[in-house]
Amino acid sequence: MTPDARPAAIAHAALVALLVGAILLQFWIVPSLAAESAARYPEVAWLATPYVVAVGIGLGFFELSLFAVWRAISTGGREGRAVKRAERWLDLATLAIISMAVVFSGVFVHAGSVAKVGGPPMLFGLLCMIAVIVAALVGHHRRRRRLAYCEPPSSARPEGLEPPTF
């Protein structure tokens, strides 16, 4: 393995671990917890199915973002078309993460304010999802800004204009 391939291999291993965790959550842990909660609290048992579906959709968006990051890492190359392809995959990852956060925010808002279940953790979950959306947008903007400075060759860059340091 070349030294350049080592970080990509580590990132791929981390993405696989996250994907396995998301699949376990989506198809085993969340449905089991929902069934257990429905049995324990029959007055809100009707919420189990819609929340499991919504969480499954949200985790599906998360899995899509993992796939997009995998493809962005795998594009290879540092110039031209490879960079453009990686940009598109990272745009998809950003959109998927924001979609996941919106779905989870809807669950937290509904559970906390409409169904009146969950209590303060629903507010904290909503605040966390708002933070995820802001972080995704800021990261997307910073990446775009950094790429805008990296695209032209140094001779084409206007005098005195240097790439920002992050």
Side-chain angles (χ1 to χ4, degrees):
M1 182 179 298
T2 64
D4 288 341
R6 184 176 220 96
I10 292 170
H12 283 145
L15 290 171
V16 167
L18 287 169
L19 181 64
V20 168
I23 289 172
L24 284 173
L25 275 170
Q26 187 175 16
F27 294 109
W28 181 50
I29 297 171
V30 170
S32 299
L33 289 174
E36 180 182 310
S37 295
R40 187 178 305 149
Y41 306 107
E43 63 276 6
V44 291
W46 63 276
L47 292 172
T49 302
Y51 285 177
V52 167
V53 170
V55 169
I57 291 169
L59 288 171
F61 282 126
F62 178 71
E63 293 161 5
L64 176 63
S65 73
L66 294 177
F67 174 74
V69 170
W70 179 289
R71 294 293 298 162
I73 291 169
S74 299
T75 55
R78 292 192 181 352
E79 69 273 325
R81 295 180 69 194
V83 172
K84 294 284 185 196
R85 278 194 310 267
E87 278 184 57
R88 278 182 270 167
W89 283 113
L90 292 174
D91 290 345
L92 177 63
T94 302
L95 182 63
I97 286 293
I98 291 170
S99 299
M100 175 207 67
V102 167
V103 169
F104 286 159
S105 295
V107 171
F108 292 135
V109 166
H110 184 270
S113 62
V114 177
K116 306 269 193 240
V117 296
M122 297 302 109
L123 174 62
F124 296 135
L126 178 62
L127 293 175
C128 287
M129 291 302 108
I130 291 170
V132 166
I133 292 170
V134 169
L137 290 173
V138 168
H140 178 76
H141 175 72
R142 291 181 89 182
R143 179 179 53 82
R144 285 287 187 174
R145 188 170 165 208
R146 190 173 330 135
L147 286 173
Y149 279 99
C150 294
E151 280 182 5
S154 60
S155 61
R157 190 176 296 133
E159 188 67 33
L161 184 62
E162 295 297 318
T165 55
F166 297 101

